[in-house]
Structure formats: C-alpha cells, structure tokens
Amino acid sequence: MTILHILSRTKLYWGLIAIFLIGVLGSPISSKGNNIFLSYGNLLDVLRQVSTTGLIATGMTAVIITGGIDLSVGSLMAICTVVCAMLLTVPGVTPAVVVGVPTVAVAALCLGILVTRFILLNIEKSRAGPQATHDIRLDSVRGLVTPGIVGVILCSLVLWFLLPQVGSKFGVLGVLLVAPCVGLLFGALNGFIIVAGRLQPFIVTLAMMVTALGIARLTAGQNNAVLPVYTGSNATADFEMLRSLVFGVIPMPGLFFLGAILIYGAVLRFTPFGRYVYAIGGNEEAARLSGIAAGRVKIATYAVSGLLAGIAAVLYVAQYRQGKPDAGAGLELDAIAAVVIGGTSLMGGRGSLIGTFCGVLIFGLLSNILQLHNINSNLQLVLKGMIIIGTVLVQERNAGDLLFYLRLPGGQAHKETAATKRPSQETASLNVGGNKK
C-alpha cells in the first residue's frame, strides 16, 4: 500500500487534525497568557454544542447509507422539545400527555411483540441447525399469543409508571421515555409511508417536516412561542443532571452522543442489520432479490432517526431551559452537512459513523474557531458553505474535474490520467468479451 493510498484512506482524519491545528495556532490568548482554544472549558463547550447535532447526524447516517434522506428531524426534535417542556412544567391532562402517553404505550406493545418474536425465532433456528433448508416459521402460540402477552405486560408496566405522573409533573425518566418515543413514532411513520407508498424520501420527509411543525405549534398553544423550564422552580430539580458534568469530566449531552455513536456504530458494523443497510444502499433491488426485507430495514432506520431526534430534544430542553416549536429549525441541514463531510455518500451504500463523528467535530471546531475570532455570523455561513462544497469535492474525488473545467493547474493532469485509463478499461472489457466467446 503506497503512502498516497494511505493518505487518501485517512484524509478525513487529516482534515480533522488540520482544523484542530488551525484552532490552536490561530487561537486568541487570554489575559493570563493561556491558549483559549485549548482550554478545557472551551473544548467541553464544543462537545456540548455538537451533541444535539451529533445525535441527529448519527441517525441520519444510516438513513443516507440506505439511499434515503430525512428532512423532518429538525421538526421532530421541535415537537419533542414542546412535549418534554410541557410534561415537566404543566400538571394534569395536557396536549403533551395526549400525544406522548399513548405513543409510549403503542411503542412498548410493539417492542414487546417484536423482541419476543425475534428471540423465539432465533431459538427455533438454533434448534433446526445450519443444515435446515426451509424457512423457519413459528406456530400460532409462539408467533402470536406469546409475543402479544409479553407486549401487553410491557405496555401495562409503562402505563403503571407514567400515569401517576400525569396528575403532578413528569420526572427525568418520564420525559426520557416519552419524548424519544414520540420521535420514534413519527420516524417510523416516515419509513412506512416511503415503503408502502413507494414515494421518494425527499417528498415524504419534507411533508412530515411541515406537518410536525404544525403539530408542535398546536401542542404548545397559540400563545406559547416558548415554554420555559426552570429546574427547581416550575420543573423537578433532578432535570439539572442532564446538563451537568459526569464525574466533573464530560458533559452529559456529550456522553449521550458518544454512546449513540458507539452503539449504533457497532450495530452497523457487526450485525446482519448493518449489512442489510449497506446492501440496500448499494443496490436495493438486488438486496430484495437476495431475501433481505428491505422495507422493514428502511422503516427501522427512519424510526431510529426519529428516536435519536427525541433524545436530542430532551438534551436541548435541559441545556437551553426551554421548549419551542421552532427549536430544530435548520438543524436537519447541519446534520446532513456533518454526515456528508464525514464521507457518507448521498447516493447510498457508503459511509460510517466514525466518519460522521469526525464530520460533526470538524463542523463544531470550525464554528468555535470563527466565534473565538468574532467573525460576523453571516460570513460564518458563507465560509461553512464553501468548506462543505470543498470537502464533498475531495470526498467524491471530483476536484480534478472542477479544476479542468476552470482551466486551473492540476486539472489537465487529472484529465490526461482519466483519458489514459479509459482505453485500457475498454481493452480489458473487449478481452473479457473475447474470453467469454
């Protein structure tokens, strides 16, 4: 393996290192002579600030790998912030209770059924052994009755935990259960409409973005543009833990972000579900013909995307002490940009969560550097846009083509290299054809 090939394979990490070095070398100096960018507090702030976008980008990565897109995550996060803030601060039967509690009940019922069927099916497969040539099917008792009973029991336990909190105010565990389930339901609905209706993900998630924004405003009420959350006053004091430092080292939002990256990354890399995600993104029709339940996998990726948006919403409320219907405005674009910067192809079939992690950090460090130098916010947007375009050109290896069309140095060499490769490829194809004959 040549040095150039190694550099090409690791260019994302070199980009992250370059951004970090720029921040270190160009950092302002405090009155005590310390490097502000390298200060522990500043780096913790970067991790805290990117955690919300990072959680959403984590779910977005799998969606994009399947060849889809999710434009609704910002609005889903917004409705979840409204539900979370209202559950924390307003007692009694509120619109948030009407939206949230039945959603959790349905999610618990479905989870119990699906997990039980999965366990029983795998037990049956292990008994049949690898030599079994027929599809394994469960009888009515193990396929329907037992999973249904488990689902009803789990649903009852969840309602037993949540319903007593309706009369007063919800606690931390309550909102951590309800808000992500609301996001999960809307995300699963996205996936179901895309699969069952055979519609483009762009259209479906764009419609859901508008719909969820309207639901968020209806839930908050006409006169509630912002729902303030004051821990220890109108909300439980325990909610403060979601913005604290764990062991005084890492902020709680950062811990959620890192946990999501590690867990979902392991799922995509080491489980059949992850292999199915990449196969669908590479060639959905071929994946379907090979026996992969492409529809179920796609629904699952959108559901997880909504789930992570719900978790991000709870952390947003804890950090900014408010819930509002426009909390996630534009956040879906930041998430998509971080995923693309991380090397995930918008065409599907290629990408990784370690790349998304680097992309999120690059985006966060860049914003921090610009803020430390008091760059105008409008100019920051221009610079970010230029960096996104440049990064994608490098990732897709189309920079040489751009240089050629602009008649800049380096473009001609790229064009000549491509031209010399093309005849050899054509000759190879002719040889293959001749061998077949």
Side-chain angles (χ1 to χ4, degrees):
M1 185 178 293
T2 64
I3 296 178
L4 290 178
H5 185 61
I6 294 175
L7 291 176
S8 176
R9 293 284 299 273
T10 60
K11 58 179 177 286
L12 179 64
Y13 307 106
W14 289 109
L16 179 59
I17 293 172
I19 289 288
F20 189 82
L21 290 177
I22 290 172
V24 172
L25 298 176
S27 171
I29 304 299
S30 67
S31 58
K32 296 182 180 180
N34 297 325
N35 189 299
I36 297 178
F37 178 81
L38 276 180
S39 64
Y40 189 64
N42 181 66
L43 296 179
L44 283 183
D45 285 341
V46 171
L47 181 59
R48 185 188 298 274
Q49 290 168 7
V50 303
S51 296
T52 301
T53 305
L55 280 168
I56 293 178
T58 300
M60 185 75 74
T61 302
V63 171
I64 293 179
I65 290 175
T66 62
I69 196 75
D70 191 353
L71 300 178
S72 67
V73 283
S75 294
L76 296 189
M77 194 192 93
I79 189 175
C80 291
T81 64
V82 171
V83 169
C84 176
M86 190 170 286
L87 292 177
L88 286 168
T89 59
V90 183
V93 179
T94 62
V97 172
V98 174
V99 171
V101 174
T103 299
V104 179
V106 172
L109 178 64
C110 295
L111 181 65
I113 293 174
L114 293 175
V115 171
T116 305
R117 280 183 57 87
F118 177 79
I119 293 173
L120 293 177
L121 189 61
N122 279 275
I123 291 175
E124 192 65 25
K125 286 181 179 179
S126 64
R127 288 177 179 175
Q131 69 276 9
T133 58
H134 60 283
D135 292 336
I136 305 298
R137 296 183 182 275
L138 299 174
D139 55 41
S140 59
V141 174
R142 290 178 297 173
L144 294 175
V145 178
T146 303
I149 293 174
V150 174
V152 170
I153 292 174
L154 184 59
C155 178
S156 302
L157 290 174
V158 168
L159 291 177
W160 174 79
F161 173 70
L162 292 178
L163 289 179
Q165 301 182 51
V166 173
S168 56
K169 296 175 183 178
F170 276 62
V172 178
L173 292 179
V175 295
L176 277 175
L177 186 61
V178 174
C181 283
V182 172
L184 174 70
L185 175 67
F186 281 98
L189 184 60
N190 270 336
F192 177 78
I193 295 174
I194 290 169
V195 172
R198 297 181 180 180
L199 299 176
Q200 288 294 328
F202 181 90
I203 300 299
V204 174
T205 57
L206 180 63
M208 181 60 75
M209 178 178 70
V210 179
T211 304
L213 179 59
I215 295 175
R217 290 176 177 173
L218 290 172
T219 304
Q222 190 67 30
N223 300 321
N224 291 327
V226 175
L227 297 170
V229 177
Y230 304 114
T231 51
S233 176
N234 68 343
T236 176
D238 295 339
F239 195 64
E240 187 71 17
M241 65 177 289
L242 292 181
R243 66 190 309 271
S244 61
L245 291 177
V246 181
F247 303 116
V249 176
I250 183 172
M252 183 65 77
L255 194 63
F256 273 87
F257 171 42
L258 295 176
I261 283 285
L262 291 175
I263 294 173
Y264 208 16
V267 168
L268 291 180
R269 184 172 179 83
F270 300 112
T271 66
F273 174 80
R275 293 192 290 271
Y276 297 162
V277 167
Y278 282 96
I280 292 169
N283 190 324
E284 183 174 348
E285 186 63 25
R288 187 178 291 108
L289 292 175
S290 65
I292 295 175
R296 296 179 185 178
V297 174
K298 292 172 73 173
I299 292 173
T301 58
Y302 284 95
V304 172
S305 179
L307 173 71
L308 292 176
I311 296 175
V314 177
L315 298 176
Y316 177 94
V317 174
Q319 184 170 346
Y320 295 101
R321 293 189 171 92
Q322 63 180 5
K324 54 181 182 177
D326 60 345
L331 199 58
E332 63 279 348
L333 301 180
D334 290 342
I336 293 172
V339 172
V340 172
I341 288 175
T344 299
S345 173
L346 288 173
M347 301 301 293
R350 178 166 60 87
S352 67
L353 277 176
I354 186 62
T356 297
F357 178 70
C358 292
V360 170
L361 288 184
I362 288 174
F363 219 67
L365 291 174
L366 176 62
S367 298
N368 183 254
I369 292 170
L370 297 175
Q371 290 170 5
L372 288 178
H373 288 84
N374 296 319
I375 302 297
N376 182 277
S377 59
N378 296 321
L379 182 57
Q380 288 188 32
L381 295 176
V382 174
L383 293 175
K384 287 180 181 179
M386 294 172 62
I387 289 174
I388 291 172
I389 292 294
T391 304
V392 175
L393 282 172
V394 173
Q395 293 290 353
E396 299 295 334
R397 300 177 182 177
N398 292 333
D401 290 335
L402 179 63
L403 292 176
F404 174 78
Y405 287 121
L406 295 177
R407 300 297 190 269
L408 295 178
Q412 187 63 36
H414 173 83
K415 202 68 178 180
E416 291 174 355
T417 302
T420 55
K421 287 183 178 180
R422 191 175 298 114
S424 61
Q425 293 172 351
E426 293 175 354
T427 304
S429 64
L430 290 174
N431 290 335
V432 171
N435 292 334
K436 288 182 179 180
K437 292 178 181 179

